[in-house]
PDB file of all heavy atoms in Angstrom:
ATOM      1  N   GLY A  21      28.394-161.346  52.898  1.00 93.00           N
ATOM      2  CA  GLY A  21      27.669-161.631  51.663  1.00 93.00           C
ATOM      3  C   GLY A  21      26.422-160.847  51.510  1.00 93.00           C
ATOM      4  O   GLY A  21      25.705-160.969  50.494  1.00 93.00           O
ATOM      5  N   GLN A  22      26.099-159.963  52.516  1.00 95.00           N
ATOM      6  CA  GLN A  22      24.839-159.210  52.433  1.00 95.00           C
ATOM      7  C   GLN A  22      24.916-158.231  51.217  1.00 95.00           C
ATOM      8  O   GLN A  22      23.884-157.902  50.643  1.00 95.00           O
ATOM      9  CB  GLN A  22      24.586-158.418  53.706  1.00 95.00           C
ATOM     10  CG  GLN A  22      24.182-159.324  54.869  1.00 95.00           C
ATOM     11  CD  GLN A  22      22.938-160.105  54.642  1.00 95.00           C
ATOM     12  OE1 GLN A  22      21.933-159.517  54.171  1.00 95.00           O
ATOM     13  NE2 GLN A  22      22.908-161.379  54.887  1.00 95.00           N
ATOM     14  N   ASN A  23      26.094-157.759  50.858  1.00 93.00           N
ATOM     15  CA  ASN A  23      26.223-156.915  49.699  1.00 93.00           C
ATOM     16  C   ASN A  23      25.797-157.575  48.406  1.00 93.00           C
ATOM     17  O   ASN A  23      25.199-156.988  47.509  1.00 93.00           O
ATOM     18  CB  ASN A  23      27.676-156.437  49.564  1.00 93.00           C
ATOM     19  CG  ASN A  23      28.702-157.543  49.421  1.00 93.00           C
ATOM     20  OD1 ASN A  23      28.696-158.451  50.192  1.00 93.00           O
ATOM     21  ND2 ASN A  23      29.505-157.438  48.403  1.00 93.00           N
ATOM     22  N   LEU A  24      26.082-158.891  48.275  1.00 94.00           N
ATOM     23  CA  LEU A  24      25.761-159.671  47.097  1.00 94.00           C
ATOM     24  C   LEU A  24      24.229-159.839  47.005  1.00 94.00           C
ATOM     25  O   LEU A  24      23.599-159.770  45.952  1.00 94.00           O
ATOM     26  CB  LEU A  24      26.459-160.985  47.058  1.00 94.00           C
ATOM     27  CG  LEU A  24      27.965-160.941  47.013  1.00 94.00           C
ATOM     28  CD1 LEU A  24      28.531-162.350  47.032  1.00 94.00           C
ATOM     29  CD2 LEU A  24      28.453-160.097  45.875  1.00 94.00           C
ATOM     30  N   LEU A  25      23.536-160.024  48.160  1.00 95.00           N
ATOM     31  CA  LEU A  25      22.103-160.104  48.176  1.00 95.00           C
ATOM     32  C   LEU A  25      21.505-158.742  47.779  1.00 95.00           C
ATOM     33  O   LEU A  25      20.510-158.694  47.045  1.00 95.00           O
ATOM     34  CB  LEU A  25      21.633-160.494  49.526  1.00 95.00           C
ATOM     35  CG  LEU A  25      21.955-161.965  49.969  1.00 95.00           C
ATOM     36  CD1 LEU A  25      21.444-162.203  51.411  1.00 95.00           C
ATOM     37  CD2 LEU A  25      21.212-162.897  49.018  1.00 95.00           C
ATOM     38  N   GLY A  26      22.132-157.714  48.294  1.00 94.00           N
ATOM     39  CA  GLY A  26      21.696-156.363  47.918  1.00 94.00           C
ATOM     40  C   GLY A  26      21.890-156.074  46.427  1.00 94.00           C
ATOM     41  O   GLY A  26      21.031-155.409  45.758  1.00 94.00           O
ATOM     42  N   GLY A  27      23.068-156.605  45.889  1.00 93.00           N
ATOM     43  CA  GLY A  27      23.286-156.423  44.496  1.00 93.00           C
ATOM     44  C   GLY A  27      22.279-157.217  43.612  1.00 93.00           C
ATOM     45  O   GLY A  27      21.848-156.697  42.591  1.00 93.00           O
ATOM     46  N   LEU A  28      21.944-158.430  44.083  1.00 94.00           N
ATOM     47  CA  LEU A  28      20.939-159.227  43.345  1.00 94.00           C
ATOM     48  C   LEU A  28      19.578-158.472  43.392  1.00 94.00           C
ATOM     49  O   LEU A  28      18.834-158.422  42.366  1.00 94.00           O
ATOM     50  CB  LEU A  28      20.736-160.581  44.008  1.00 94.00           C
ATOM     51  CG  LEU A  28      19.717-161.498  43.374  1.00 94.00           C
ATOM     52  CD1 LEU A  28      20.045-161.828  41.921  1.00 94.00           C
ATOM     53  CD2 LEU A  28      19.619-162.826  44.137  1.00 94.00           C
ATOM     54  N   SER A  29      19.249-157.896  44.483  1.00 93.00           N
ATOM     55  CA  SER A  29      17.999-157.079  44.551  1.00 93.00           C
ATOM     56  C   SER A  29      18.074-155.899  43.620  1.00 93.00           C
ATOM     57  O   SER A  29      17.043-155.654  42.941  1.00 93.00           O
ATOM     58  CB  SER A  29      17.796-156.590  46.029  1.00 93.00           C
ATOM     59  OG  SER A  29      16.687-155.786  46.068  1.00 93.00           O
ATOM     60  N   CYS A  30      19.206-155.271  43.484  1.00 91.00           N
ATOM     61  CA  CYS A  30      19.312-154.139  42.562  1.00 91.00           C
ATOM     62  C   CYS A  30      19.155-154.629  41.126  1.00 91.00           C
ATOM     63  O   CYS A  30      18.509-153.963  40.277  1.00 91.00           O
ATOM     64  CB  CYS A  30      20.692-153.484  42.748  1.00 91.00           C
ATOM     65  SG  CYS A  30      20.909-152.482  44.200  1.00 91.00           S
ATOM     66  N   LEU A  31      19.738-155.802  40.822  1.00 91.00           N
ATOM     67  CA  LEU A  31      19.704-156.319  39.503  1.00 91.00           C
ATOM     68  C   LEU A  31      18.244-156.649  39.095  1.00 91.00           C
ATOM     69  O   LEU A  31      17.813-156.334  37.980  1.00 91.00           O
ATOM     70  CB  LEU A  31      20.635-157.608  39.412  1.00 91.00           C
ATOM     71  CG  LEU A  31      20.561-158.350  38.032  1.00 91.00           C
ATOM     72  CD1 LEU A  31      21.111-157.460  36.954  1.00 91.00           C
ATOM     73  CD2 LEU A  31      21.389-159.632  38.142  1.00 91.00           C
ATOM     74  N   LEU A  32      17.548-157.306  40.001  1.00 92.00           N
ATOM     75  CA  LEU A  32      16.115-157.694  39.697  1.00 92.00           C
ATOM     76  C   LEU A  32      15.283-156.427  39.568  1.00 92.00           C
ATOM     77  O   LEU A  32      14.405-156.425  38.726  1.00 92.00           O
ATOM     78  CB  LEU A  32      15.618-158.556  40.835  1.00 92.00           C
ATOM     79  CG  LEU A  32      16.282-159.990  40.963  1.00 92.00           C
ATOM     80  CD1 LEU A  32      15.763-160.739  42.194  1.00 92.00           C
ATOM     81  CD2 LEU A  32      16.069-160.837  39.730  1.00 92.00           C
ATOM     82  N   GLU A  33      15.533-155.422  40.372  1.00 91.00           N
ATOM     83  CA  GLU A  33      14.735-154.206  40.266  1.00 91.00           C
ATOM     84  C   GLU A  33      15.038-153.487  38.925  1.00 91.00           C
ATOM     85  O   GLU A  33      14.111-152.977  38.279  1.00 91.00           O
ATOM     86  CB  GLU A  33      15.128-153.308  41.435  1.00 91.00           C
ATOM     87  CG  GLU A  33      14.192-152.046  41.470  1.00 91.00           C
ATOM     88  CD  GLU A  33      14.493-151.198  42.750  1.00 91.00           C
ATOM     89  OE1 GLU A  33      15.663-151.300  43.215  1.00 91.00           O
ATOM     90  OE2 GLU A  33      13.667-150.356  43.131  1.00 91.00           O
ATOM     91  N   ASP A  34      16.294-153.462  38.537  1.00 89.00           N
ATOM     92  CA  ASP A  34      16.642-152.884  37.284  1.00 89.00           C
ATOM     93  C   ASP A  34      16.009-153.612  36.113  1.00 89.00           C
ATOM     94  O   ASP A  34      15.543-152.995  35.112  1.00 89.00           O
ATOM     95  CB  ASP A  34      18.186-152.824  37.080  1.00 89.00           C
ATOM     96  CG  ASP A  34      18.860-151.770  38.003  1.00 89.00           C
ATOM     97  OD1 ASP A  34      18.109-150.922  38.524  1.00 89.00           O
ATOM     98  OD2 ASP A  34      20.053-151.840  38.149  1.00 89.00           O
ATOM     99  N   TRP A  35      16.081-154.964  36.170  1.00 89.00           N
ATOM    100  CA  TRP A  35      15.430-155.738  35.086  1.00 89.00           C
ATOM    101  C   TRP A  35      13.917-155.484  35.044  1.00 89.00           C
ATOM    102  O   TRP A  35      13.375-155.292  33.931  1.00 89.00           O
ATOM    103  CB  TRP A  35      15.699-157.236  35.344  1.00 89.00           C
ATOM    104  CG  TRP A  35      16.953-157.726  34.895  1.00 89.00           C
ATOM    105  CD1 TRP A  35      17.889-156.986  34.172  1.00 89.00           C
ATOM    106  CD2 TRP A  35      17.478-159.095  34.994  1.00 89.00           C
ATOM    107  NE1 TRP A  35      18.968-157.810  33.881  1.00 89.00           N
ATOM    108  CE2 TRP A  35      18.739-159.072  34.363  1.00 89.00           C
ATOM    109  CE3 TRP A  35      17.018-160.202  35.622  1.00 89.00           C
ATOM    110  CZ2 TRP A  35      19.535-160.267  34.311  1.00 89.00           C
ATOM    111  CZ3 TRP A  35      17.827-161.319  35.579  1.00 89.00           C
ATOM    112  CH2 TRP A  35      19.106-161.333  34.931  1.00 89.00           C
ATOM    113  N   GLU A  36      13.298-155.373  36.127  1.00 88.00           N
ATOM    114  CA  GLU A  36      11.886-155.113  36.223  1.00 88.00           C
ATOM    115  C   GLU A  36      11.546-153.774  35.584  1.00 88.00           C
ATOM    116  O   GLU A  36      10.580-153.653  34.783  1.00 88.00           O
ATOM    117  CB  GLU A  36      11.348-155.066  37.640  1.00 88.00           C
ATOM    118  CG  GLU A  36       9.857-154.794  37.786  1.00 88.00           C
ATOM    119  CD  GLU A  36       9.469-154.597  39.220  1.00 88.00           C
ATOM    120  OE1 GLU A  36      10.306-154.691  40.074  1.00 88.00           O
ATOM    121  OE2 GLU A  36       8.282-154.269  39.409  1.00 88.00           O
ATOM    122  N   HIS A  37      12.326-152.758  35.877  1.00 83.00           N
ATOM    123  CA  HIS A  37      12.112-151.408  35.300  1.00 83.00           C
ATOM    124  C   HIS A  37      12.403-151.425  33.807  1.00 83.00           C
ATOM    125  O   HIS A  37      11.680-150.834  32.993  1.00 83.00           O
ATOM    126  CB  HIS A  37      12.972-150.433  36.017  1.00 83.00           C
ATOM    127  CG  HIS A  37      12.441-149.943  37.318  1.00 83.00           C
ATOM    128  ND1 HIS A  37      11.988-148.663  37.554  1.00 83.00           N
ATOM    129  CD2 HIS A  37      12.250-150.639  38.478  1.00 83.00           C
ATOM    130  CE1 HIS A  37      11.478-148.539  38.795  1.00 83.00           C
ATOM    131  NE2 HIS A  37      11.702-149.747  39.400  1.00 83.00           N
ATOM    132  N   ALA A  38      13.509-152.086  33.367  1.00 80.00           N
ATOM    133  CA  ALA A  38      13.839-152.101  31.987  1.00 80.00           C
ATOM    134  C   ALA A  38      12.794-152.883  31.214  1.00 80.00           C
ATOM    135  O   ALA A  38      12.371-152.390  30.101  1.00 80.00           O
ATOM    136  CB  ALA A  38      15.206-152.756  31.802  1.00 80.00           C
ATOM    137  N   LEU A  39      12.357-154.046  31.615  1.00 82.00           N
ATOM    138  CA  LEU A  39      11.359-154.833  30.850  1.00 82.00           C
ATOM    139  C   LEU A  39      10.014-154.135  30.832  1.00 82.00           C
ATOM    140  O   LEU A  39       9.253-154.306  29.847  1.00 82.00           O
ATOM    141  CB  LEU A  39      11.195-156.203  31.480  1.00 82.00           C
ATOM    142  CG  LEU A  39      12.491-157.096  31.368  1.00 82.00           C
ATOM    143  CD1 LEU A  39      12.238-158.407  32.123  1.00 82.00           C
ATOM    144  CD2 LEU A  39      12.774-157.413  29.866  1.00 82.00           C
ATOM    145  N   GLY A  40       9.699-153.351  31.833  1.00 80.00           N
ATOM    146  CA  GLY A  40       8.403-152.657  31.897  1.00 80.00           C
ATOM    147  C   GLY A  40       8.441-151.311  31.260  1.00 80.00           C
ATOM    148  O   GLY A  40       7.413-150.598  31.301  1.00 80.00           O
ATOM    149  N   GLY A  41       9.615-150.926  30.693  1.00 77.00           N
ATOM    150  CA  GLY A  41       9.742-149.589  30.044  1.00 77.00           C
ATOM    151  C   GLY A  41       9.637-148.493  31.093  1.00 77.00           C
ATOM    152  O   GLY A  41       9.275-147.339  30.735  1.00 77.00           O
ATOM    153  N   LYS A  42       9.974-148.719  32.362  1.00 83.00           N
ATOM    154  CA  LYS A  42       9.983-147.722  33.399  1.00 83.00           C
ATOM    155  C   LYS A  42      11.314-147.006  33.470  1.00 83.00           C
ATOM    156  O   LYS A  42      12.316-147.506  33.093  1.00 83.00           O
ATOM    157  CB  LYS A  42       9.595-148.322  34.730  1.00 83.00           C
ATOM    158  CG  LYS A  42       8.364-149.155  34.773  1.00 83.00           C
ATOM    159  CD  LYS A  42       8.231-149.839  36.113  1.00 83.00           C
ATOM    160  CE  LYS A  42       7.021-150.727  36.200  1.00 83.00           C
ATOM    161  NZ  LYS A  42       6.965-151.434  37.498  1.00 83.00           N
ATOM    162  N   PRO A  43      11.284-145.751  34.000  1.00 84.00           N
ATOM    163  CA  PRO A  43      12.510-145.092  34.251  1.00 84.00           C
ATOM    164  C   PRO A  43      13.313-145.835  35.333  1.00 84.00           C
ATOM    165  O   PRO A  43      12.775-146.617  36.086  1.00 84.00           O
ATOM    166  CB  PRO A  43      12.131-143.671  34.676  1.00 84.00           C
ATOM    167  CG  PRO A  43      10.709-143.817  35.199  1.00 84.00           C
ATOM    168  CD  PRO A  43      10.124-144.932  34.354  1.00 84.00           C
ATOM    169  N   PRO A  44      14.648-145.601  35.476  1.00 87.00           N
ATOM    170  CA  PRO A  44      15.446-146.263  36.483  1.00 87.00           C
ATOM    171  C   PRO A  44      14.927-145.921  37.875  1.00 87.00           C
ATOM    172  O   PRO A  44      14.340-144.896  38.132  1.00 87.00           O
ATOM    173  CB  PRO A  44      16.864-145.745  36.248  1.00 87.00           C
ATOM    174  CG  PRO A  44      16.704-144.469  35.469  1.00 87.00           C
ATOM    175  CD  PRO A  44      15.456-144.633  34.683  1.00 87.00           C
ATOM    176  N   PRO A  45      15.164-146.812  38.867  1.00 89.00           N
ATOM    177  CA  PRO A  45      14.672-146.578  40.174  1.00 89.00           C
ATOM    178  C   PRO A  45      15.254-145.249  40.810  1.00 89.00           C
ATOM    179  O   PRO A  45      16.444-144.905  40.595  1.00 89.00           O
ATOM    180  CB  PRO A  45      15.242-147.746  40.975  1.00 89.00           C
ATOM    181  CG  PRO A  45      15.482-148.850  39.998  1.00 89.00           C
ATOM    182  CD  PRO A  45      15.810-148.188  38.696  1.00 89.00           C
ATOM    183  N   GLY A  46      14.396-144.550  41.382  1.00 90.00           N
ATOM    184  CA  GLY A  46      14.779-143.206  42.003  1.00 90.00           C
ATOM    185  C   GLY A  46      14.451-142.019  41.066  1.00 90.00           C
ATOM    186  O   GLY A  46      14.312-140.875  41.563  1.00 90.00           O
ATOM    187  N   ALA A  47      14.191-142.267  39.753  1.00 90.00           N
ATOM    188  CA  ALA A  47      13.927-141.175  38.817  1.00 90.00           C
ATOM    189  C   ALA A  47      12.566-140.617  39.146  1.00 90.00           C
ATOM    190  O   ALA A  47      12.322-139.417  38.749  1.00 90.00           O
ATOM    191  CB  ALA A  47      13.970-141.639  37.433  1.00 90.00           C
ATOM    192  N   GLU A  48      11.691-141.376  39.818  1.00 90.00           N
ATOM    193  CA  GLU A  48      10.376-140.816  40.081  1.00 90.00           C
ATOM    194  C   GLU A  48      10.387-139.642  41.058  1.00 90.00           C
ATOM    195  O   GLU A  48       9.381-138.972  41.249  1.00 90.00           O
ATOM    196  CB  GLU A  48       9.512-141.946  40.624  1.00 90.00           C
ATOM    197  CG  GLU A  48       9.871-142.529  41.975  1.00 90.00           C
ATOM    198  CD  GLU A  48      10.968-143.602  41.872  1.00 90.00           C
ATOM    199  OE1 GLU A  48      11.447-143.854  40.733  1.00 90.00           O
ATOM    200  OE2 GLU A  48      11.319-144.132  42.919  1.00 90.00           O
ATOM    201  N   ALA A  49      11.495-139.469  41.706  1.00 93.00           N
ATOM    202  CA  ALA A  49      11.622-138.316  42.653  1.00 93.00           C
ATOM    203  C   ALA A  49      11.979-137.011  42.002  1.00 93.00           C
ATOM    204  O   ALA A  49      12.159-136.044  42.656  1.00 93.00           O
ATOM    205  CB  ALA A  49      12.726-138.659  43.732  1.00 93.00           C
ATOM    206  N   PHE A  50      12.083-137.058  40.635  1.00 95.00           N
ATOM    207  CA  PHE A  50      12.452-135.869  39.909  1.00 95.00           C
ATOM    208  C   PHE A  50      11.449-135.659  38.768  1.00 95.00           C
ATOM    209  O   PHE A  50      11.729-135.892  37.592  1.00 95.00           O
ATOM    210  CB  PHE A  50      13.886-135.919  39.334  1.00 95.00           C
ATOM    211  CG  PHE A  50      14.914-136.120  40.415  1.00 95.00           C
ATOM    212  CD1 PHE A  50      15.318-137.417  40.798  1.00 95.00           C
ATOM    213  CD2 PHE A  50      15.469-135.020  41.065  1.00 95.00           C
ATOM    214  CE1 PHE A  50      16.293-137.585  41.794  1.00 95.00           C
ATOM    215  CE2 PHE A  50      16.379-135.233  42.083  1.00 95.00           C
ATOM    216  CZ  PHE A  50      16.809-136.466  42.455  1.00 95.00           C
ATOM    217  N   ARG A  51      10.249-135.243  39.113  1.00 95.00           N
ATOM    218  CA  ARG A  51       9.130-135.113  38.193  1.00 95.00           C
ATOM    219  C   ARG A  51       9.112-133.659  37.673  1.00 95.00           C
ATOM    220  O   ARG A  51       9.040-132.756  38.483  1.00 95.00           O
ATOM    221  CB  ARG A  51       7.780-135.513  38.787  1.00 95.00           C
ATOM    222  CG  ARG A  51       7.746-136.954  39.311  1.00 95.00           C
ATOM    223  CD  ARG A  51       6.504-137.133  40.165  1.00 95.00           C
ATOM    224  NE  ARG A  51       6.659-136.321  41.354  1.00 95.00           N
ATOM    225  CZ  ARG A  51       5.639-136.042  42.252  1.00 95.00           C
ATOM    226  NH1 ARG A  51       4.438-136.641  41.976  1.00 95.00           N
ATOM    227  NH2 ARG A  51       5.817-135.291  43.308  1.00 95.00           N
TER     228      ARG A  51
END
């Protein structure tokens, strides 16, 4: 079940970026 916890973490991170108008996670490495 660790994959589901990881998936939940990805989901929350994506929501945080979307609601804050931020680029998707990892995009900051391509400036």
Side-chain angles (χ1 to χ4, degrees):
Q22 290 299 311
N23 59 307
L24 299 181
L25 290 176
L28 179 60
S29 175
C30 288
L31 177 63
L32 294 175
E33 187 179 22
D34 287 345
W35 276 358
E36 179 189 359
H37 281 247
L39 294 174
K42 303 176 185 177
E48 66 276 1
F50 300 93
R51 299 166 298 168

